[in-house]
Amino acid sequence: MKRILLGVSLLLLTSTVHAQINVDASELDSQVHVIGWFSKTDTLEYRLSEVVGEIVNGDTTIIDGSGGDFRICVTDSTKKGYKMELVFTDVWKRDSLSIQGQLLLMASRMALGSKVLFSTDEWGCFQGVDNWKERYKMGFDIMKKLIDSSYFNHPELYARQPKEELIKKLKEQYNELVGTKEKMTELFGPLNLLFSFHGHDFPIGESTVEKDGRSCYYQVHAGALEDDEDSDEDEYQIYIELEDKNDDGSLTSYHYEYAYFEDGWPRSVLATVVEEQAGKKVITQQHIDWVTKSW
């Protein structure tokens, strides 16, 4: 139960932006510059989904899934960067029948509507959660409410472990995982994913780089996308593949597909991570897709 409740608290915590991509096609080594030019009140709504699967002997099994809808709004700008807020408006969980699935879904819904205040640098790169102390308190308070409810509905739990002792141990683990702004920021996957490549330059075309045991493959397409009935704007695509060699000789591969509007807002993100674990492959795929845009 301790492990389940700690997972609940972390999930609900994790529970761009008028950027611009400048393309100079006049040069032979032309590049795509993912740069942020944010405007106050710019607002985008996104839909997030995450699926985890296992591949054993060629057979794929979906073992988990979750997702939700969220909104990002630019609230202010300074010389050093930009202020924004994220609000989740809906959540879902594939595993909603088990006790853990029910608790995770309940906790996530209790956090709906709460604001995550965050900053980017002048290029649009995600810098961190500004109201991390508020998010910390909210996560722990919800976890404590779930503990109180569990012990109230199941008094036999007192015979296994006193409630106060469980709360104390959970708080120690909670502090280790999210007790600082840096640790809290690492948990916000959607923001890290949306803004990962703002501030970076990518050569148009294809290229491969080998550095420090990591193989990096880039393919950048700059220009109007075909068969796009949802937008009158040009869009730009970036495909990135990374491969890491682990200490035990296994490999972890990363594949990213980004589509940006002409003004630089991420239109869609698809991230796939494949890990080799004890003779099987675990695939985690996250998809963030644009729903509406206003300014």
Side-chain angles (χ1 to χ4, degrees), residues 1-141:
M1 180 177 177
K2 178 171 68 175
R3 183 177 180 181
I4 292 175
L5 289 169
L6 183 62
V8 167
S9 65
L10 296 180
L11 177 68
L12 60 91
L13 285 170
T14 61
S15 329
T16 300
V17 334
H18 187 179
Q20 182 176 350
I21 298 179
N22 300 320
V23 180
D24 185 357
S26 63
E27 301 180 6
L28 293 178
D29 60 344
S30 56
Q31 293 189 340
V32 169
H33 310 292
V34 186
I35 303 173
W37 302 99
F38 304 145
S39 297
K40 190 174 181 178
T41 74
D42 281 356
T43 304
L44 254 73
E45 294 184 3
Y46 288 99
R47 177 156 294 166
L48 165 70
S49 63
E50 178 176 302
V51 176
V52 181
E54 290 182 346
I55 300 179
V56 180
N57 297 325
D59 295 327
T60 303
T61 303
I62 303 301
I63 58 176
D64 199 7
S66 60
D69 298 329
F70 63 91
R71 179 178 65 251
I72 293 178
C73 178
V74 181
T75 59
D76 200 4
S77 63
T78 68
K79 293 181 179 179
K80 296 183 178 180
Y82 303 86
K83 301 292 184 181
M84 306 185 195
E85 66 179 33
L86 173 146
V87 177
F88 267 94
T89 57
D90 192 17
V91 292
W92 60 269
K93 187 83 172 64
R94 182 177 184 271
D95 175 20
S96 59
L97 298 179
S98 68
I99 294 177
Q100 181 176 5
Q102 291 175 11
L103 288 172
L104 288 171
L105 186 59
M106 184 186 306
S108 298
R109 287 178 173 170
M110 291 172 70
L112 285 178
S114 60
K115 294 182 179 180
V116 179
L117 306 181
F118 66 98
S119 303
T120 73
D121 63 13
E122 64 271 28
W123 306 111
C125 183
F126 176 48
Q127 295 297 288
V129 178
D130 297 331
N131 64 335
W132 71 272
K133 291 183 179 180
E134 177 184 331
R135 302 298 301 184
Y136 171 96
K137 183 179 184 303
M138 185 193 71
F140 187 77
D141 286 348

